[in-house]
Amino acid sequence: MSQKLIYLDYNATTPVDKRVLETMLPYFSEKFGNAASHTHAAGWTAKKAVDDAREQVSKLINCDAQEIIFTSGSTEAINLAVKGVFNAYSGKGKHIITYATEHKAVLDTCKYLETLGAEVTYLPVNSEGLPDLQLLEKSIREDTILVCAMFANNETGVIFPVKEIAEIVHAKKSIFFSDATQAVGKIMVDVQEEGIDLMCLSAHKIYGPKGVGALYVRRKNPRVTLTALIHGGGHERGLRSGTLNVTGIVGLGKACNIAADEMWDDAQKLSILRTLLEQSLLDLGSVFVNGSQKQRMPHITNLAFAVIKADSLIAQLPHIALAMGSACTSALPETSHVLQAMGRESLSLSSVRFSLGKYTTEEEIKTVTADLSAVIKKMRSEA
Ligand code: PLP
């Protein structure tokens, strides 16, 4: 009899919340209008749904609804932000600063812009995955047009001091972009409070559908100008042409709305379960936490198991969904660029990311702990 899968890979993606699904369903067939159709009720209904969703997203991150541009997810939002600033501000300079631990969507976009003449500084982090703010300050130049620093790391859950970074960036008259894909809807992310100019988020990380997300673009103090990536029709204030994914956008809005109400309780519950899991595994000995234990998300732990090959460990536990590093690179066991940047390269292939979510139960955590402990003891005895 096959065992039910225990899913501990919520950072890769989350199931759609049933309430989100129910909200989306009428927009497939019944309310199918094009939000850009101004001449009839079907279009008006779709437009109203998009407007409502825009309000829901903006409420969660405390911005004006006009500052939300819907995209196909965070990868597209990152491309629009980084390439969009590069194209719009190249008269001022071509220097971009980012961190070695950013998601590949940021790093690969920066690499691409280097082929077009951008000069990119990839700043290091310390062994806890945290940045050196003095180094950031020293690295910003007259021609620095953009600083990219993620809110919470997808592999370790480490939370960057975003507000302090924003202050430094603004004092030097540059623009600050934060990839908040793993933070929005799970902890407080307030773009006014944090001083963020551009920020991405993605529905499928917060119990919404895949293929939809948003870019927050600040409209005042400072007003950020972007050059569009996709042209044709002028949707989304000309920044993202193409017929709007009304169903997905409705789902994103509802997911944000639920998160606003429930994320505090979820975070509290998850932090207790994470501690239970982490402590039981640390008790095995020769197990190490990758990343700061003070500044991190409540639902993630990234653990290194000395002497153990993480891919072999995961293969022996097919009833538990776990990740080695990030999902995008986990098809092949390769060193995580995040752990490498933290100076933990030697432990990288022994590291497992556990990311819990709102449907994780105490019973599941107890099963995971027991099964993982048994396999680790066996693997170590055979080593
Ligand atoms: N940024 C971070 C930190 C992520 O974790 C992810 C998804 O894994 C992305 C960006 C890409 O998001 P999307 O799947 O919406 O393109």
Side-chain angles (χ1 to χ4, degrees):
M1 195 175 69
S2 69
Q3 223 174 326
K4 191 171 171 277
L5 184 73
I6 299 177
Y7 189 77
L8 290 188
D9 200 13
Y10 281 83
N11 272 22
T13 196
T14 59
V16 173
D17 185 308
K18 296 257 178 337
R19 294 167 289 178
V20 170
L21 180 63
E22 269 166 31
T23 314
M24 291 171 67
L25 284 175
Y27 291 90
F28 283 102
S29 300
E30 205 182 304
K31 302 177 180 180
F32 61 88
N34 185 329
S37 298
H38 300 298
T39 48
H40 52 71
W44 303 329
T45 302
K47 164 110 180 18
K48 164 92 171 58
V50 169
D51 288 347
D52 290 349
R54 210 183 293 279
E55 283 290 337
Q56 290 171 315
V57 177
S58 63
K59 248 190 178 161
L60 181 63
I61 62 169
N62 191 23
C63 69
D64 197 287
Q66 298 299 310
E67 296 175 311
I68 296 295
I69 305 296
F70 289 117
T71 64
S72 63
S74 277
T75 302
E76 186 192 328
I78 289 166
N79 273 265
L80 174 57
V82 180
K83 292 176 186 167
V85 166
F86 181 73
N87 288 326
Y89 292 83
S90 56
K92 182 192 170 204
K94 292 185 187 300
H95 184 227
I96 296 171
I97 296 177
T98 188
Y99 283 89
T101 47
E102 290 291 306
H103 190 271
K104 291 283 182 187
V106 170
L107 295 176
D108 288 353
T109 302
C110 287
K111 285 260 172 294
Y112 167 72
L113 289 180
E114 283 176 316
T115 69
L116 301 183
E119 203 187 319
V120 183
T121 301
Y122 300 90
L123 290 177
V125 294
N126 68 15
S127 60
E128 299 214 302
L130 290 165
D132 174 342
L133 297 183
Q134 280 177 348
L135 179 61
L136 170 64
E137 195 165 12
K138 274 191 260 162
S139 305
I140 304 178
R141 318 185 311 211
E142 286 266 295
D143 62 340
T144 306
I145 48 172
L146 181 68
V147 174
C148 307
M150 75 202 310
F151 209 110
N153 188 277
N154 47 304
E155 293 191 31
T156 58
V158 168
I159 300 173
F160 261 30
V162 168
K163 189 171 180 174
E164 285 88 338
I165 292 174
E167 279 164 12
I168 293 167
V169 175
H170 291 150
K172 301 259 187 171
K173 305 266 177 293
S174 195
I175 295 170
F176 178 40
F177 165 71
S178 187
D179 173 357
T181 310
Q182 295 289 353
V184 166
K186 291 169 190 153
I187 57 171
M188 175 65 103
V189 174
D190 178 326
V191 292
Q192 305 311 334
E193 176 63 23
E194 304 290 342
I196 295 169
D197 301 321
L198 291 161
M199 187 180 85
C200 65
L201 56 98
S202 181
H204 77 100
K205 307 290 186 184
I206 54 169
Y207 310 95
K210 292 168 187 57
V212 60
L215 180 68
Y216 157 74
V217 185
R218 183 175 284 278
R219 269 159 78 90
K220 51 178 194 278
N221 306 320
R223 182 183 178 89
V224 178
T225 310
L226 295 178
T227 301
L229 291 181
I230 301 173
H231 301 92
H235 308 72
E236 297 298 275
R237 301 195 353 254
L239 284 177
R240 207 278 190 175
S241 287
T243 302
L244 291 182
N245 170 9
V246 178
T247 321
I249 290 168
V250 164
L252 170 61
K254 182 66 181 174
C256 287
N257 180 241
I258 294 173
D261 285 344
E262 301 179 359
M263 67 179 175
W264 303 110
D265 289 345
D266 290 342
Q268 210 174 2
K269 176 194 114 171
L270 290 175
S271 149
I272 294 168
L273 291 181
R274 192 261 311 269
T275 305
L276 176 68
L277 172 74
E278 191 172 85
Q279 202 46 57
S280 318
L281 295 173
L282 288 174
D283 287 347
L284 291 171
S286 299
V287 180
F288 311 95
V289 179
N290 291 317
S292 167
Q293 289 180 64
K294 285 202 192 102
Q295 280 178 244
R296 66 172 166 161
M297 297 294 289
H299 65 287
I300 306 174
T301 182
N302 188 315
L303 298 177
F305 300 94
V307 198
I308 302 280
K309 282 203 178 98
D311 58 336
S312 311
L313 174 65
I314 291 171
Q316 292 195 47
L317 298 158
H319 60 296
I320 308 173
L322 292 169
M324 285 188 69
S326 68
C328 328
T329 50
S330 64
L332 282 174
E334 57 181 49
T335 312
S336 139
H337 72 280
V338 173
L339 298 182
Q340 196 173 348
M342 290 161 60
R344 297 179 83 90
E345 193 174 356
S346 61
L347 287 172
S348 173
L349 295 179
S350 298
S351 296
V352 177
R353 177 183 76 179
F354 302 83
S355 50
L356 285 56
K358 67 180 180 183
Y359 303 118
T360 307
T361 63
E362 186 175 340
E363 201 188 335
E364 284 181 324
I365 293 298
K366 285 185 174 154
T367 306
V368 169
T369 311
D371 294 358
L372 215 71
S373 302
V375 173
I376 288 168
K377 282 182 191 153
K378 182 167 159 278
M379 285 175 82
R380 282 193 177 153
S381 72
E382 290 165 359

CSV table of all heavy atoms in Angstrom, one decimal, residues 130-176:
chain,number,residue,atom,x,y,z
A,130,LEU,N,24.1,36.5,5.9
A,130,LEU,CA,23.7,37.9,6.0
A,130,LEU,C,24.7,38.9,5.4
A,130,LEU,O,25.9,38.5,5.3
A,130,LEU,CB,23.5,38.2,7.5
A,130,LEU,CG,22.3,37.5,8.2
A,130,LEU,CD1,22.4,37.6,9.7
A,130,LEU,CD2,21.0,38.2,7.7
A,131,PRO,N,24.2,40.0,4.9
A,131,PRO,CA,25.1,41.0,4.2
A,131,PRO,C,25.9,41.9,5.1
A,131,PRO,O,25.5,42.1,6.3
A,131,PRO,CB,24.0,41.8,3.4
A,131,PRO,CG,22.8,41.8,4.3
A,131,PRO,CD,22.8,40.5,5.0
A,132,ASP,N,26.9,42.4,4.6
A,132,ASP,CA,27.7,43.4,5.3
A,132,ASP,C,27.3,44.8,4.8
A,132,ASP,O,27.5,45.1,3.6
A,132,ASP,CB,29.2,43.2,5.0
A,132,ASP,CG,30.2,44.2,5.5
A,132,ASP,OD1,29.7,45.3,5.9
A,132,ASP,OD2,31.4,43.9,5.6
A,133,LEU,N,26.6,45.6,5.6
A,133,LEU,CA,26.0,46.8,5.1
A,133,LEU,C,27.0,47.9,4.8
A,133,LEU,O,26.8,48.7,3.9
A,133,LEU,CB,25.0,47.3,6.2
A,133,LEU,CG,23.8,46.4,6.4
A,133,LEU,CD1,22.8,47.0,7.3
A,133,LEU,CD2,23.1,46.0,5.1
A,134,GLN,N,28.1,47.9,5.5
A,134,GLN,CA,29.2,48.8,5.2
A,134,GLN,C,29.8,48.6,3.8
A,134,GLN,O,30.1,49.5,3.1
A,134,GLN,CB,30.3,48.8,6.3
A,134,GLN,CG,29.9,49.5,7.6
A,134,GLN,CD,31.0,49.4,8.6
A,134,GLN,OE1,31.9,48.6,8.5
A,134,GLN,NE2,30.8,50.2,9.7
A,135,LEU,N,29.9,47.3,3.5
A,135,LEU,CA,30.4,47.0,2.2
A,135,LEU,C,29.4,47.4,1.1
A,135,LEU,O,29.9,47.9,0.1
A,135,LEU,CB,30.6,45.4,2.1
A,135,LEU,CG,31.2,44.9,0.8
A,135,LEU,CD1,32.5,45.5,0.5
A,135,LEU,CD2,31.2,43.4,0.8
A,136,LEU,N,28.2,47.3,1.4
A,136,LEU,CA,27.2,47.7,0.5
A,136,LEU,C,27.3,49.2,0.2
A,136,LEU,O,27.4,49.7,-0.9
A,136,LEU,CB,25.7,47.4,1.0
A,136,LEU,CG,24.6,48.1,0.2
A,136,LEU,CD1,24.5,47.5,-1.2
A,136,LEU,CD2,23.3,47.9,0.9
A,137,GLU,N,27.4,50.0,1.3
A,137,GLU,CA,27.5,51.4,1.2
A,137,GLU,C,28.8,51.8,0.4
A,137,GLU,O,28.7,52.7,-0.5
A,137,GLU,CB,27.7,52.0,2.6
A,137,GLU,CG,27.4,53.5,2.7
A,137,GLU,CD,27.2,54.0,4.1
A,137,GLU,OE1,27.4,53.2,5.1
A,137,GLU,OE2,26.8,55.1,4.2
A,138,LYS,N,29.9,51.1,0.6
A,138,LYS,CA,31.1,51.4,-0.1
A,138,LYS,C,31.0,51.1,-1.6
A,138,LYS,O,31.7,51.6,-2.4
A,138,LYS,CB,32.3,50.6,0.5
A,138,LYS,CG,32.9,51.4,1.7
A,138,LYS,CD,34.2,50.7,2.1
A,138,LYS,CE,34.0,49.8,3.3
A,138,LYS,NZ,35.0,48.8,3.5
A,139,SER,N,30.2,50.1,-1.9
A,139,SER,CA,30.1,49.5,-3.2
A,139,SER,C,29.2,50.4,-4.1
A,139,SER,O,29.3,50.3,-5.4
A,139,SER,CB,29.6,48.1,-3.2
A,139,SER,OG,30.3,47.3,-2.4
A,140,ILE,N,28.3,51.2,-3.5
A,140,ILE,CA,27.4,52.0,-4.4
A,140,ILE,C,28.2,53.2,-5.0
A,140,ILE,O,28.8,54.0,-4.2
A,140,ILE,CB,26.2,52.5,-3.6
A,140,ILE,CG1,25.4,51.3,-3.0
A,140,ILE,CG2,25.2,53.3,-4.5
A,140,ILE,CD1,24.2,51.6,-2.1
A,141,ARG,N,28.1,53.3,-6.3
A,141,ARG,CA,28.8,54.4,-7.0
A,141,ARG,C,27.8,55.4,-7.6
A,141,ARG,O,26.6,55.2,-7.6
A,141,ARG,CB,29.7,53.8,-8.1
A,141,ARG,CG,30.4,52.5,-7.7
A,141,ARG,CD,31.3,51.9,-8.7
A,141,ARG,NE,30.7,51.8,-10.1
A,141,ARG,CZ,31.1,50.9,-10.9
A,141,ARG,NH1,32.0,50.0,-10.6
A,141,ARG,NH2,30.6,50.9,-12.2
A,142,GLU,N,28.4,56.5,-8.1
A,142,GLU,CA,27.6,57.5,-8.8
A,142,GLU,C,26.7,56.9,-9.9
A,142,GLU,O,25.6,57.3,-10.2
A,142,GLU,CB,28.5,58.5,-9.5
A,142,GLU,CG,29.2,59.5,-8.6
A,142,GLU,CD,28.4,60.8,-8.5
A,142,GLU,OE1,28.3,61.4,-9.5
A,142,GLU,OE2,27.9,61.1,-7.4
A,143,ASP,N,27.3,55.8,-10.6
A,143,ASP,CA,26.6,55.2,-11.7
A,143,ASP,C,25.9,54.0,-11.4
A,143,ASP,O,25.4,53.2,-12.2
A,143,ASP,CB,27.6,54.9,-12.9
A,143,ASP,CG,28.7,53.9,-12.5
A,143,ASP,OD1,28.9,53.7,-11.2
A,143,ASP,OD2,29.3,53.3,-13.3
A,144,THR,N,25.6,53.7,-10.0
A,144,THR,CA,24.9,52.6,-9.6
A,144,THR,C,23.4,52.9,-9.8
A,144,THR,O,22.8,53.8,-9.1
A,144,THR,CB,25.1,52.2,-8.1
A,144,THR,OG1,26.5,52.0,-8.0
A,144,THR,CG2,24.4,50.9,-7.8
A,145,ILE,N,22.7,52.2,-10.7
A,145,ILE,CA,21.3,52.5,-11.0
A,145,ILE,C,20.4,51.6,-10.2
A,145,ILE,O,19.2,51.9,-10.0
A,145,ILE,CB,21.0,52.4,-12.5
A,145,ILE,CG1,21.5,51.1,-13.1
A,145,ILE,CG2,21.5,53.6,-13.2
A,145,ILE,CD1,21.1,50.8,-14.5
A,146,LEU,N,20.9,50.4,-9.7
A,146,LEU,CA,20.0,49.5,-9.0
A,146,LEU,C,20.7,48.6,-8.0
A,146,LEU,O,21.8,48.2,-8.3
A,146,LEU,CB,19.3,48.6,-10.1
A,146,LEU,CG,18.3,47.5,-9.7
A,146,LEU,CD1,17.0,48.2,-9.2
A,146,LEU,CD2,18.0,46.6,-10.8
A,147,VAL,N,20.1,48.4,-6.9
A,147,VAL,CA,20.6,47.4,-5.9
A,147,VAL,C,19.5,46.4,-5.7
A,147,VAL,O,18.3,46.7,-5.5
A,147,VAL,CB,20.9,48.1,-4.6
A,147,VAL,CG1,21.3,47.0,-3.5
A,147,VAL,CG2,22.0,49.1,-4.7
A,148,CYS,N,19.8,45.1,-5.9
A,148,CYS,CA,18.8,44.0,-5.8
A,148,CYS,C,19.2,43.2,-4.5
A,148,CYS,O,20.3,42.6,-4.5
A,148,CYS,CB,18.9,43.0,-6.9
A,148,CYS,SG,18.7,43.8,-8.5
A,149,ALA,N,18.3,43.1,-3.6
A,149,ALA,CA,18.6,42.3,-2.4
A,149,ALA,C,17.3,41.6,-2.0
A,149,ALA,O,16.2,42.3,-1.8
A,149,ALA,CB,19.1,43.2,-1.2
A,150,MET,N,17.3,40.3,-1.9
A,150,MET,CA,16.0,39.6,-1.6
A,150,MET,C,15.6,39.7,-0.2
A,150,MET,O,16.4,40.0,0.7
A,150,MET,CB,16.2,38.1,-2.0
A,150,MET,CG,17.0,37.3,-1.1
A,150,MET,SD,17.6,35.7,-1.8
A,150,MET,CE,16.2,35.0,-2.6
A,151,PHE,N,14.3,39.6,0.0
A,151,PHE,CA,13.7,39.7,1.4
A,151,PHE,C,14.0,38.5,2.2
A,151,PHE,O,14.6,38.6,3.3
A,151,PHE,CB,12.2,39.9,1.2
A,151,PHE,CG,11.6,40.8,2.3
A,151,PHE,CD1,11.1,42.0,2.1
A,151,PHE,CD2,11.5,40.3,3.6
A,151,PHE,CE1,10.6,42.8,3.1
A,151,PHE,CE2,11.0,41.1,4.6
A,151,PHE,CZ,10.5,42.3,4.3
A,152,ALA,N,13.7,37.3,1.7
A,152,ALA,CA,14.0,36.1,2.4
A,152,ALA,C,14.5,35.1,1.4
A,152,ALA,O,14.0,34.9,0.3
A,152,ALA,CB,12.7,35.6,3.1
A,153,ASN,N,15.6,34.4,1.9
A,153,ASN,CA,16.2,33.4,1.0
A,153,ASN,C,15.4,32.1,0.8
A,153,ASN,O,14.9,31.6,1.8
A,153,ASN,CB,17.6,33.1,1.4
A,153,ASN,CG,18.4,32.3,0.4
A,153,ASN,OD1,18.3,31.1,0.4
A,153,ASN,ND2,19.1,33.0,-0.4
A,154,ASN,N,15.3,31.7,-0.4
A,154,ASN,CA,14.4,30.5,-0.7
A,154,ASN,C,15.1,29.2,-0.2
A,154,ASN,O,14.4,28.2,0.1
A,154,ASN,CB,14.1,30.4,-2.2
A,154,ASN,CG,15.3,30.6,-3.1
A,154,ASN,OD1,16.0,31.6,-3.0
A,154,ASN,ND2,15.6,29.6,-3.9
A,155,GLU,N,16.4,29.2,0.0
A,155,GLU,CA,17.0,27.9,0.4
A,155,GLU,C,17.2,27.8,1.9
A,155,GLU,O,17.1,26.8,2.5
A,155,GLU,CB,18.4,27.8,-0.3
A,155,GLU,CG,18.3,27.6,-1.8
A,155,GLU,CD,19.6,27.2,-2.4
A,155,GLU,OE1,20.5,26.5,-1.7
A,155,GLU,OE2,19.9,27.6,-3.5
A,156,THR,N,17.5,29.0,2.5
A,156,THR,CA,17.8,29.0,4.0
A,156,THR,C,16.7,29.7,4.8
A,156,THR,O,16.7,29.5,6.0
A,156,THR,CB,19.1,29.7,4.2
A,156,THR,OG1,19.0,31.1,3.7
A,156,THR,CG2,20.3,29.0,3.6
A,157,GLY,N,15.9,30.5,4.2
A,157,GLY,CA,14.9,31.3,4.9
A,157,GLY,C,15.5,32.5,5.6
A,157,GLY,O,14.7,33.2,6.3
A,158,VAL,N,16.8,32.8,5.4
A,158,VAL,CA,17.4,33.9,6.1
A,158,VAL,C,16.8,35.2,5.5
A,158,VAL,O,16.6,35.4,4.3
A,158,VAL,CB,18.9,33.9,5.8
A,158,VAL,CG1,19.6,35.3,6.2
A,158,VAL,CG2,19.6,32.8,6.5
A,159,ILE,N,16.4,36.1,6.5
A,159,ILE,CA,15.8,37.4,6.2
A,159,ILE,C,16.8,38.5,6.2
A,159,ILE,O,17.5,38.7,7.1
A,159,ILE,CB,14.7,37.7,7.2
A,159,ILE,CG1,13.6,36.6,7.2
A,159,ILE,CG2,14.0,39.0,6.9
A,159,ILE,CD1,12.5,36.7,8.3
A,160,PHE,N,16.9,39.2,5.1
A,160,PHE,CA,17.8,40.3,4.9
A,160,PHE,C,17.3,41.5,5.7
A,160,PHE,O,16.1,41.7,5.8
A,160,PHE,CB,18.0,40.6,3.5
A,160,PHE,CG,19.2,40.1,2.8
A,160,PHE,CD1,19.8,38.9,3.2
A,160,PHE,CD2,19.8,40.7,1.7
A,160,PHE,CE1,20.9,38.3,2.6
A,160,PHE,CE2,21.0,40.2,1.1
A,160,PHE,CZ,21.5,39.0,1.5
A,161,PRO,N,18.2,42.4,6.2
A,161,PRO,CA,17.8,43.7,6.8
A,161,PRO,C,17.4,44.7,5.7
A,161,PRO,O,18.1,45.6,5.4
A,161,PRO,CB,19.0,44.1,7.6
A,161,PRO,CG,20.2,43.5,6.8
A,161,PRO,CD,19.7,42.2,6.2
A,162,VAL,N,16.2,44.4,5.2
A,162,VAL,CA,15.8,45.2,4.0
A,162,VAL,C,15.6,46.7,4.3
A,162,VAL,O,16.1,47.5,3.4
A,162,VAL,CB,14.4,44.6,3.5
A,162,VAL,CG1,13.8,45.4,2.5
A,162,VAL,CG2,14.7,43.2,2.9
A,163,LYS,N,15.1,47.0,5.4
A,163,LYS,CA,14.9,48.5,5.7
A,163,LYS,C,16.3,49.2,5.7
A,163,LYS,O,16.4,50.3,5.2
A,163,LYS,CB,14.2,48.6,7.1
A,163,LYS,CG,13.8,50.0,7.4
A,163,LYS,CD,12.9,50.0,8.6
A,163,LYS,CE,12.5,51.5,8.8
A,163,LYS,NZ,11.5,51.6,9.9
A,164,GLU,N,17.3,48.6,6.4
A,164,GLU,CA,18.6,49.2,6.5
A,164,GLU,C,19.2,49.3,5.1
A,164,GLU,O,19.8,50.3,4.7
A,164,GLU,CB,19.5,48.4,7.4
A,164,GLU,CG,19.2,48.5,8.8
A,164,GLU,CD,18.2,47.5,9.3
A,164,GLU,OE1,17.4,47.0,8.5
A,164,GLU,OE2,18.2,47.3,10.5
A,165,ILE,N,19.0,48.3,4.3
A,165,ILE,CA,19.5,48.3,2.9
A,165,ILE,C,18.9,49.4,2.1
A,165,ILE,O,19.6,50.2,1.4
A,165,ILE,CB,19.3,46.9,2.2
A,165,ILE,CG1,20.2,45.9,2.9
A,165,ILE,CG2,19.6,47.0,0.7
A,165,ILE,CD1,19.9,44.4,2.4
A,166,ALA,N,17.6,49.6,2.2
A,166,ALA,CA,16.8,50.6,1.5
A,166,ALA,C,17.4,52.0,1.9
A,166,ALA,O,17.5,52.9,1.0
A,166,ALA,CB,15.4,50.5,1.8
A,167,GLU,N,17.6,52.2,3.2
A,167,GLU,CA,18.1,53.5,3.6
A,167,GLU,C,19.5,53.9,3.0
A,167,GLU,O,19.7,55.0,2.5
A,167,GLU,CB,18.3,53.5,5.2
A,167,GLU,CG,16.9,53.8,5.8
A,167,GLU,CD,16.9,53.5,7.3
A,167,GLU,OE1,17.9,53.3,7.9
A,167,GLU,OE2,15.7,53.4,7.8
A,168,ILE,N,20.3,52.9,2.9
A,168,ILE,CA,21.7,53.1,2.3
A,168,ILE,C,21.5,53.4,0.8
A,168,ILE,O,22.1,54.3,0.3
A,168,ILE,CB,22.6,51.8,2.6
A,168,ILE,CG1,22.9,51.7,4.0
A,168,ILE,CG2,23.8,51.9,1.7
A,168,ILE,CD1,23.5,50.3,4.4
A,169,VAL,N,20.7,52.6,0.2
A,169,VAL,CA,20.5,52.7,-1.3
A,169,VAL,C,19.9,54.1,-1.6
A,169,VAL,O,20.4,54.8,-2.5
A,169,VAL,CB,19.6,51.6,-1.8
A,169,VAL,CG1,19.3,51.8,-3.3
A,169,VAL,CG2,20.2,50.2,-1.6
A,170,HIS,N,18.9,54.5,-0.8
A,170,HIS,CA,18.3,55.8,-1.1
A,170,HIS,C,19.2,57.0,-0.8
A,170,HIS,O,19.2,58.0,-1.5
A,170,HIS,CB,17.0,55.9,-0.3
A,170,HIS,CG,15.9,55.0,-0.9
A,170,HIS,ND1,14.9,54.5,-0.1
A,170,HIS,CD2,15.8,54.5,-2.1
A,170,HIS,CE1,14.2,53.6,-0.9
A,170,HIS,NE2,14.7,53.7,-2.1
A,171,ALA,N,20.0,56.9,0.3
A,171,ALA,CA,21.0,57.9,0.6
A,171,ALA,C,21.9,58.2,-0.6
A,171,ALA,O,22.4,59.3,-0.8
A,171,ALA,CB,21.8,57.6,1.9
A,172,LYS,N,22.1,57.1,-1.4
A,172,LYS,CA,23.1,57.2,-2.5
A,172,LYS,C,22.3,57.4,-3.8
A,172,LYS,O,22.8,57.3,-4.9
A,172,LYS,CB,23.9,56.0,-2.6
A,172,LYS,CG,24.7,55.7,-1.4
A,172,LYS,CD,26.2,56.1,-1.6
A,172,LYS,CE,27.0,55.6,-0.5
A,172,LYS,NZ,28.5,55.8,-0.8
A,173,LYS,N,21.0,57.7,-3.7
A,173,LYS,CA,20.1,58.1,-4.8
A,173,LYS,C,20.0,57.0,-5.9
A,173,LYS,O,20.0,57.2,-7.1
A,173,LYS,CB,20.6,59.4,-5.5
A,173,LYS,CG,20.7,60.6,-4.6
A,173,LYS,CD,19.5,61.4,-4.7
A,173,LYS,CE,19.5,62.6,-3.8
A,173,LYS,NZ,19.4,62.3,-2.4
A,174,SER,N,20.0,55.7,-5.4
A,174,SER,CA,19.9,54.6,-6.3
A,174,SER,C,18.5,54.0,-6.1
A,174,SER,O,17.7,54.4,-5.2
A,174,SER,CB,21.0,53.6,-6.1
A,174,SER,OG,21.0,52.7,-7.2
A,175,ILE,N,18.1,53.0,-6.9
A,175,ILE,CA,16.8,52.3,-6.8
A,175,ILE,C,17.0,51.0,-6.1
A,175,ILE,O,18.0,50.3,-6.4
A,175,ILE,CB,16.2,52.2,-8.2
A,175,ILE,CG1,15.9,53.6,-8.8
A,175,ILE,CG2,14.9,51.4,-8.1
A,175,ILE,CD1,15.5,53.5,-10.3
A,176,PHE,N,16.0,50.6,-5.3
A,176,PHE,CA,16.1,49.3,-4.5
A,176,PHE,C,15.0,48.4,-5.0
A,176,PHE,O,13.8,48.6,-4.8
A,176,PHE,CB,16.0,49.6,-3.0
A,176,PHE,CG,16.1,48.4,-2.2
A,176,PHE,CD1,16.9,47.3,-2.5
A,176,PHE,CD2,15.2,48.3,-1.1
A,176,PHE,CE1,16.9,46.2,-1.7
A,176,PHE,CE2,15.2,47.1,-0.3
A,176,PHE,CZ,16.1,46.1,-0.6
